[in-house]
Amino acid sequence: MTTDCNYFEPFVAGHVDGQLDQENGARLAQHLQACPACRSLVGAERDVRHALRTHADELREPAPAPLRAALTRRATVVPFVPRPRRTRPWQWIPLPAVAALLIALTGIIAVGALAPRGTALAAQLTVDHLKCILLADRHQHPDAHAVAADWQARRGWAVEVPPSSEAERLELIALRRCLFTDGELAHLVYMQAGRPVSVFILPHARASSPELAIMGHEMVSWTRDGRTYAVVADLPAADLERVVAYVQPRVR
Amino acid sequence: MPSRRPRPEPRGADERPEFEAEALACLDGLYATALRLTRNPAAADDLVQDTFLKAIRFSGQFEPGTNLRGWLFTILHNTFRNVRRDAGRDPVEVDSEAIEQAPLAASTADPEALMLDGALGAELKTALDSLPDAYRQAVWLRDVEDFSYAEIAGMLDVPVGTVMSRISRGRRLLHERLTGKGRR
């Protein structure tokens, strides 16, 4: 290698990819004629480029079917027809409506420091509630013990998951990981009589008012043994109370 | 509703149904790229979901007729950087020791070219995953996803010259690992 080589070395990839401008391309071509070391670099890069392009289809692992199904379902959702609140059965909200709501909630999170105590937390959890119910597969009914074991194996901290309850018409749909300002939190997604309910487990205690209403969703939260828990849903008050009464003693 | 600044009127997919169909057509490439970024299927799944949600949320900012695939890949990489930053990790871990150990020259003799030609996809994947993040991202976007230097510079938020040198060094490290050849 010579001083010239050090100058030309950064241009080798551009030469191999045919992305050098005319001036640099001509100067490098001239140098390569006289320099076997740089010709070797070109050869090595060309070989690797060729191998990667030849095997590109093998290297690109296709998206898993459940992910494709979830995103496709979101894309083909029925149009949203607003009806008076509380009188309609819950239905999948179309993406535009969720997008508008997410933008509104982001505003609350952005001014969290100025907002009433716990409002930013409620807004964040409502965002996660909307996001995850949008992406969760309603037709999955995983076993509570199995998802808890899987969570501990993957995430390294233990949770206790309240199982589905026929009496409460509560079905466990998923345990998802959500990212929060303090790190990750566990998000249990349920359907209660066909309406989505989220139960959050925050591994650290957080200050919040016990009950808050935000953007049409209620959040009930409590702290126990250094963890904060929250239930977020758009349910009639009596139904929400029943869900909280069922979940509170069972979640850890 | 408190708000710091006016936001663009959100425009949803109902105004442009082709947007989501086109976005879904990019799903495999996005997932494969997310998997090489995170090297973890669950994290790749989360990253792609977040990317789609953001794309739909900001679909009003996308100019129809421009490069949707490039736009989605840019969102994917921005999201990845944000997640890593939130987790307290620098997304661009340039391993200077690896750079120094990258072979400065390699032979173009036929036996090596044959070895690379004969390399299996699985070997390539393992070798790619062993690269420092910054090189793996650049090489992947160029040689597997076939983006231009300018597009990659936009996605990784670095100058074109940096893209070129990362691709170069990444390819040389791959060559070393695939041929088992150390420093001369």
Side-chain angles (χ1 to χ4, degrees), chain A residues 163-204:
Chain A
S164 299
S165 162
E166 219 167 293
E168 302 297 333
R169 301 179 68 195
L170 196 66
E171 285 176 305
L172 176 64
I173 304 297
L175 170 53
R176 296 177 57 85
R177 178 186 66 125
C178 290
L179 293 174
F180 194 58
T181 47
D182 296 341
E184 65 179 16
L185 54 84
H187 181 180
L188 296 161
V189 184
Y190 293 87
M191 297 297 281
Q192 198 276 335
R195 297 164 301 193
V197 173
S198 287
V199 178
F200 294 97
I201 306 171
L202 288 74
H204 308 293

Side-chain angles (χ1 to χ4, degrees), chain A residues 59-64 67 71 177, chain B residues 26-52 69 72-81 83-84 125 128-129 133 136-138 140-141 144-145 147 155-156:
Chain A
L59 291 168
R60 297 168 97 221
E61 287 168 48
L67 174 64
L71 294 171
R177 178 186 66 125
Chain B
C26 302
L27 176 60
D28 280 339
L30 287 165
Y31 178 77
T33 301
L35 198 53
R36 290 280 79 70
L37 283 172
T38 60
R39 288 171 281 181
N40 174 319
D45 205 282
D46 286 350
L47 181 54
V48 170
Q49 292 190 13
D50 285 350
T51 298
F52 267 77
R69 183 166 167 265
L72 291 170
F73 272 74
T74 301
I75 295 175
L76 181 88
H77 284 85
N78 286 343
T79 306
F80 177 68
R81 275 198 295 277
V83 169
R84 295 286 291 258
K125 205 175 283 180
L128 270 170
D129 282 352
D133 290 353
R136 187 172 66 258
Q137 289 172 14
W140 178 272
L141 291 171
V144 180
E145 295 298 335
F147 284 109
M155 287 168 203
L156 302 182

